[in-house]
Amino acid sequence: MVDTVSASTIASEATTARGARASRAPRPATVSATPTIDVEWLGQYLLGTWAEARLESRRVTARPEMQRIEGLSLTEHRQRVFDQLHLLVEEGAVNKAFPKRLGGQDDHGGNIAGFEELVTADPSLQIKSGVQWGLFGAAVLHLGTAYHHDTFLPGIMSLEVPGAFAMTETGHGSDVASIGTTATYDIEAGEFVLNTPFRGAWKDYLGNAAVHGTAAVVFAQLVTRGVNHGVHAFYVPLRDVDGSFLEGIGGEDDGLKGGLNGIDNGRLHFSDVRVPRLNLLNRYGDVSEEGDYTSSIASPGRRFFTMLGTLVQGRVSLDGASTNAAKVALAIAITYGSQRRQFTAGSDTNEEVLLDYQKHQSRLIPRLATTYAASFAHEVLLTKFDAVFSGASDTDVDRQDLETLAAALKPLSTWHALDTLQEAREACGGAGFLAENRFTSLRADLDVYATFEGDNHVLLQLVAKRLLTDYSKKFAKADVGVLARYAVEQAADRTVNGTGLRRLAQNVTDHGSKARSVGQLRSPKVQRALLVDRVETMVAEVATRLRPANKASKKKAADLFNQNQNAMIEAARAHGELLQWEAFTDALATIDDPGTKTVLTWLRDLFGLGLIEKHAAWYLIHGRLSPQRAQAVSDYIVRLTARLRPHALDLVDAFGYGPEHLRAPIASGAEAERQNEARDYYRALRESGTAPTDEKAVKGSRG
Amino acid sequence: MVDTVSASTIASEATTARGARASRAPRPATVSATPTIDVEWLGQYLLGTWAEARLESRRVTARPEMQRIEGLSLTEHRQRVFDQLHLLVEEGAVNKAFPKRLGGQDDHGGNIAGFEELVTADPSLQIKSGVQWGLFGAAVLHLGTAYHHDTFLPGIMSLEVPGAFAMTETGHGSDVASIGTTATYDIEAGEFVLNTPFRGAWKDYLGNAAVHGTAAVVFAQLVTRGVNHGVHAFYVPLRDVDGSFLEGIGGEDDGLKGGLNGIDNGRLHFSDVRVPRLNLLNRYGDVSEEGDYTSSIASPGRRFFTMLGTLVQGRVSLDGASTNAAKVALAIAITYGSQRRQFTAGSDTNEEVLLDYQKHQSRLIPRLATTYAASFAHEVLLTKFDAVFSGASDTDVDRQDLETLAAALKPLSTWHALDTLQEAREACGGAGFLAENRFTSLRADLDVYATFEGDNHVLLQLVAKRLLTDYSKKFAKADVGVLARYAVEQAADRTVNGTGLRRLAQNVTDHGSKARSVGQLRSPKVQRALLVDRVETMVAEVATRLRPANKASKKKAADLFNQNQNAMIEAARAHGELLQWEAFTDALATIDDPGTKTVLTWLRDLFGLGLIEKHAAWYLIHGRLSPQRAQAVSDYIVRLTARLRPHALDLVDAFGYGPEHLRAPIASGAEAERQNEARDYYRALRESGTAPTDEKAVKGSRG
């Protein structure tokens, strides 16, 4: 195993990230039959379509003044991040998403790619710039029209006008349609009058609201001529030049949070605050001087979702930033785990490197596989996002697909980042708990990624609803009998579309050969069939159980939905996992280098079989896997993990983060130096002949 | 469901914790057939044997000056906690564990019970007082003899001498036997000379080391007359009156950590530091003036584990404190989830309370069941601890059992606390992320509980080794053939001791009745049999695979162990879960009140079946559960969870934490007030006839 490590290490010694990790112990160059990753190529490949934007952003995050300093006070941290936003403006890093005619670049994919790299400098910097340009600015851009672009965007782009995105209310988080703030049109004055009718309708958790924001895009129920046309967005000035609230506006500081304390989150409320009629961001709905409401989208429901859909980029970027944070965590933990020694096992004098322990491998390497899957899936999402927002493929269906994709992936990647940061933290023990080693701070900051920009569970329910809609469309013309029969067959025997899988299970029973069953499981077709089957079956099962809701009272229908809520969320999660697996598999098809392809195929297998193992009970209960085969999956995962261990360093080096991005002393090589010093000390002591004898040895000689 | 909530609510309105939560919406008193918890009785029962010590400690933690202030700087927080330690001395709260002749109380169980309640005030306070009295003081008490007690304990008890517990080194965490620091006896001078031979041997992560400690108990390899007698503890002065290090001593501040920043963790190193011979804490090993080593324990290995075993109280108290933190988290999240409304489902005007959603129930109520299990298991552990340390039952076997119990439970409860704090945080959305609502801060502080006082994975391996030893003793006299046959039968058919379970699986196949299979699973005998069977089978499987290690080379044996490391850890975890289940079940037997007993039996069933569901793949693969029965387990869990929902508030109220312990604005009733205000507003608006019409309604009437 030592030889294979060496072979892959030497092969990639030339890459930047590798070169920067100076103190990795040199290992002799040996020839080995095991595959070797082309780390430089893989690194470039992982950068994806918007490689240049990512590298440009990484050059920015390499600047010390852009980076987090741990232990700052709330006030200091807020000020530092605010100053960093100005540096971003100076760097010209914030214009990509904006129109060319205003000095922007109309580069939507590149904008997000660069933006999500900011997380390695400081997640507060990522999110605060996201608030300013990705939410506040994007709302003006996407919900407003030419007047708003010309009037408001220049100040937003230059940070002359820091702003808040005032959507969420204390009483309404993910249920935006139910917010309480109203904007009532006053025909006489030609103005909208904004009001917060009760405490629960205060805008809350808004970045830039506590201190820096001098304006906001405020979401409110638009009322004109006695009719409520639903939620619309308004451009509202907040503070005057000396930072005092304008008349009718009040607020509070949200104070200290679990993380992201470089952002001044706060609350806002409005009492008869008047803005000109033109401050309605009127792309999807307008009010005339006379108070007549018009919209290009007749259905209020569709209009609402269209407006919110323009803000999908927040979810897209959280998916990417979370995956980047997981990459940083694994790069640190796997580097440390390759240097740190603990407990002697097979030797009297040499302690084992942590990553040579089976459990340590099982803690880190499967998470590395998931990180690769999330990374490839994110590239798919970003490509889709760019196609929609560049207008290249911007149909209703494209937008719906984009939103479903984002809603499916963002929960998985944000949770994965938290899980990985925590496991990496624990895998590094007490050293992992020191703030200087990054895990705890990143984890604290990323915690809220799981619930903002759409709570993860709420997003998964959106996905489930989409899956159910697709399912019912598929059977729109089928009579109830067929549908019911389909579902029963799904659950009981898989004779409709499950023949392939059924045969599979049969084979195992027939031969009982573990080698043979593992061989089949390595087939991407088999993995895909198992993953697809689970999604389809779960959706069919839920659809069948929900069927009576069509004819039930509203209350009974709601109860029925509620009784299937867990199953819906689980189906959506399975769908997201399938998307990640497909993205990983599609990526493999484009890799030419045989060594790289082999190792990444193992990694994809580890990811795919890991999903099947995680859901093994489902596969066993539904007769899709025999007990022998389920056991074979687990056994093979352990072997795959050990087989990937020699490639773990290459796999994290390919992420391309240098010491300036990792900034963790335990990943700096200091540990290897300490280990070498200790071993040298003991070796010299033994050779000197002055080493104390071990009591056990003394007794042994007496005996 | 509304009625059953009311019934249980009214019944317990009188309890303190309940009374303190002023703003819970009043519900009408109705008669219901569902059982009612006697919250006051249950609350008293949960306080356990050392109820008075707990209540006394809760009175102390209710003092505002004992409580955490969020957002303090490192320096301020450290000073505040140090001052709080002095307040504990003033309260007389720290003497329980110390000898009566020195003003103590010799009350070991009460001491730990009170100590672990400090976590609700500030985990830093808990751990810093743990460092001072539970580690530094306890080492002097348990590893020292009368001279050390008389000389050093008074200053430790009064905090005149704040001290560090200098065991862990940068290069050695959980592998204490391999530390590098040496204490070599100088016969001429009659002194021990302490040295740190290389950087990895610096003492690290030591509370009180960075600033406050003026002395330490230092663990070092004791060398005399050229023989290393292994790790022993020495009392070593660190700093003079003005806070400067004494000659030969140096150190560093560990700086900011992921949590517990009220503690001044730091590093220490020693260069020819001399202490009198008498400063060796010599209960288990002594050196004469002439340099002759003597010990009451002949085996160096057993001596080492005996010395370390005296420090088990750290693990015991982390188990209790973690469980308390989980209680706080659930009390806050379940209170908020019972008041917070989001999304209308079955009604046009009333939004649903979060805890009425299936997913929300599934997120919190099973964790409530685990918290009860952990709480009852902790009481068993604490009772065992007290029996050993009071001398009531202090045999070698008792000490080993205590250590195994602590090593099995501490990992489960510390991970459970982190998991629960995180789930509770997410379940409260953005509000959960505000520091004022406690989750994020408690989680950050408790993070390190998973890796200090014995890394959780290392502890579980200790448990596994004990299980394997017990197993091999059982078969010590069996020839290899019998043993091998046993293992094969275990895995294949269970004919040796698995007949009961085998019959069980058969029944399902025979009848296929879901109702019947659920009925059997409710039986504690069946639950226990399934849980025991899994532990036994896993241990037998591992033992069989490890058998060749006896005859193998050291290297091959180590490889074999490593290949079974995951399986060993999993077996140990299963053993810990079984212990929790048994403690819960034993507790049920002592409950008389029928309503309380019924609800807690449901909760125990939820815990037990939850374990079986979690490990369903194992049960299915090993033929212990049929697919139908495994599905029945999951279905029944969902029903049990819904059935427990009306009792959730009572179950958290019984924890007995008042607002002075919870201190979370979202659990203060403010949310219920906001919800009522919003509903009143909309009701008044509707009744006034001035409410704007909904656009959909307008279109509907036009259509």
Side-chain angles (χ1 to χ4, degrees), chain B residues 534-566:
Chain B
R534 184 159 178 265
V535 177
E536 286 188 353
T537 305
M538 290 169 84
V539 171
E541 285 174 354
V542 172
T544 306
R545 291 200 298 268
L546 289 181
R547 221 175 151 70
N550 290 335
K551 296 174 192 165
S553 70
K554 190 164 180 179
K555 169 86 180 89
K556 282 235 182 331
D559 287 347
L560 199 57
F561 262 94
N562 194 29
Q563 284 156 20
N564 285 281
Q565 191 184 26
N566 288 350

Side-chain angles (χ1 to χ4, degrees), chain A residues 170 172 226 228-229 258 298 303 340 348 351 356 358-359 362 415 433 554 562 565-566 693 695 699, chain B residues 170 172 226 228-229 258 298 303 340 348 351 356 358-359 362 426 433 554 562 565-566 693 695 699:
Chain A
T170 303
H172 287 96
N228 181 350
H229 293 278
R303 188 191 312 139
R340 167 73 169 189
D348 284 327
E351 293 169 299
D356 283 334
Q358 184 186 55
K359 187 71 198 178
S362 294
W415 277 325
F433 193 57
K554 191 164 180 179
N562 194 31
Q565 191 184 25
N566 288 351
T693 319
E695 183 187 322
K699 285 184 182 166
Chain B
T170 304
H172 287 97
N228 181 348
H229 293 278
R303 188 191 311 139
R340 168 73 170 190
D348 284 326
E351 293 168 299
D356 284 333
Q358 184 188 54
K359 188 70 198 177
S362 295
E426 292 182 31
F433 193 58
K554 190 164 180 179
N562 194 29
Q565 191 184 26
N566 288 350
T693 318
E695 184 187 321
K699 286 183 182 168

Side-chain angles (χ1 to χ4, degrees), chain B residues 77-325:
Chain B
H77 194 189
R78 285 172 171 184
Q79 188 58 46
R80 180 174 175 85
V81 172
F82 191 49
D83 294 344
Q84 288 168 341
L85 257 59
H86 283 291
L87 293 177
L88 284 182
V89 173
E90 281 174 23
E91 289 266 3
V94 306
N95 296 334
K96 285 202 178 66
F98 293 102
K100 283 187 179 157
R101 66 181 173 86
L102 295 172
Q105 298 170 37
D106 278 323
D107 176 5
H108 299 272
N111 174 57
I112 298 294
F115 167 67
E116 60 200 21
E117 290 294 335
L118 297 180
V119 76
T120 72
D122 184 348
S124 286
L125 171 61
Q126 184 218 335
I127 300 301
K128 179 132 174 155
S129 62
V131 168
Q132 175 66 17
W133 296 294
L135 291 172
F136 176 54
V140 171
L141 177 62
H142 296 304
L143 300 178
T145 48
Y147 164 74
H148 308 105
H149 300 170
D150 294 339
T151 313
F152 302 124
L153 282 184
I156 294 172
M157 289 164 69
S158 70
L159 201 58
E160 199 185 317
V161 181
F165 180 77
M167 177 185 273
T168 298
E169 297 180 353
T170 304
H172 287 97
S174 293
D175 183 9
V176 177
S178 300
I179 57 172
T181 304
T182 55
T184 307
Y185 185 60
D186 175 346
I187 300 178
E188 303 300 307
E191 292 172 334
F192 284 100
V193 188
L194 278 83
N195 272 295
T196 306
F198 43 81
R199 174 62 186 83
W202 284 26
K203 298 294 177 183
D204 208 345
Y205 317 117
L206 318 175
N208 276 339
V211 181
H212 298 133
T214 60
V217 168
V218 178
F219 288 78
Q221 307 284 352
L222 188 162
V223 178
T224 181
R225 293 187 173 276
V227 176
N228 181 348
H229 293 278
V231 176
H232 288 67
F234 302 82
Y235 187 93
V236 181
L238 290 181
R239 288 183 169 92
D240 61 21
V241 281
D242 68 5
S244 307
F245 277 127
L246 300 175
E247 203 186 325
I249 297 176
E252 275 179 1
D253 194 323
D254 274 325
L256 199 72
K257 303 183 300 293
L260 295 183
N261 282 307
I263 306 166
D264 56 323
N265 293 78
R267 307 183 178 108
L268 294 175
H269 56 84
F270 308 93
S271 305
D272 289 328
V273 172
R274 291 179 167 266
V275 296
R277 183 181 61 92
L278 291 178
N279 280 26
L280 166 64
L281 300 176
N282 63 345
R283 179 169 168 195
Y284 295 106
D286 203 2
V287 172
S288 70
E289 277 184 52
E290 297 73 30
D292 293 318
Y293 181 82
T294 51
S295 170
S296 56
I297 306 175
S299 155
R302 236 194 91 219
R303 188 191 311 139
F304 173 73
F305 284 110
T306 303
M307 288 167 67
L308 259 62
T310 61
L311 304 165
V312 69
Q313 71 185 63
R315 290 171 192 170
V316 175
S317 65
L318 294 188
D319 181 59
S322 298
T323 305
N324 289 343

Side-chain angles (χ1 to χ4, degrees), chain B residues 474-621:
Chain B
K474 201 166 157 187
F475 292 96
K477 281 157 197 159
D479 68 309
V480 180
V482 170
L483 183 62
R485 199 157 60 238
Y486 177 89
V488 169
E489 284 163 345
Q490 282 274 349
D493 204 76
R494 310 284 304 145
T495 50
V496 172
N497 71 351
T499 45
L501 287 163
R502 194 65 190 163
R503 200 171 58 239
L504 210 80
Q506 204 61 41
N507 278 342
V508 177
T509 314
D510 290 345
H511 304 290
S513 152
K514 192 171 275 189
R516 195 185 173 108
S517 64
V518 168
Q520 281 184 318
L521 288 164
R522 278 203 306 258
S523 149
K525 274 189 195 164
V526 173
Q527 289 175 29
R528 185 170 193 282
L530 285 165
L531 296 172
V532 167
D533 174 46
R534 184 159 178 265
V535 177
E536 286 188 353
T537 305
M538 290 169 84
V539 171
E541 285 174 354
V542 172
T544 306
R545 291 200 298 268
L546 289 181
R547 221 175 151 70
N550 290 335
K551 296 174 192 165
S553 70
K554 190 164 180 179
K555 169 86 180 89
K556 282 235 182 331
D559 287 347
L560 199 57
F561 262 94
N562 194 29
Q563 284 156 20
N564 285 281
Q565 191 184 26
N566 288 350
M568 284 172 68
I569 288 171
E570 196 50 32
R573 194 194 305 263
H575 179 68
E577 291 168 346
L578 170 63
L579 293 173
Q580 290 183 324
W581 183 92
E582 286 183 336
F584 202 151
T585 302
D586 290 347
L588 290 179
T590 64
I591 300 176
D592 291 325
D593 176 62
T596 307
K597 190 164 194 152
T598 299
V599 176
L600 284 193
T601 302
W602 293 342
L603 201 65
R604 192 278 322 274
D605 288 348
L606 181 59
F607 176 67
L609 297 176
L611 293 176
I612 291 163
E613 184 186 47
K614 187 168 92 172
H615 306 303
W618 189 92
Y619 287 105
L620 286 157
I621 288 173

Side-chain angles (χ1 to χ4, degrees), chain A residues 452-500:
Chain A
F452 73 3
E453 293 287 319
D455 173 85
N456 282 358
H457 285 106
V458 174
L459 292 180
L460 289 177
Q461 285 180 82
L462 292 181
V463 174
K465 281 177 186 165
R466 169 70 187 275
L467 294 173
L468 287 166
T469 306
D470 287 358
Y471 178 85
S472 67
K473 273 184 198 154
K474 202 167 157 187
F475 292 96
K477 282 158 195 157
D479 67 310
V480 180
V482 170
L483 182 61
R485 200 157 59 238
Y486 177 87
V488 167
E489 285 163 346
Q490 282 273 351
D493 205 75
R494 311 283 305 146
T495 50
V496 171
N497 71 349
T499 45

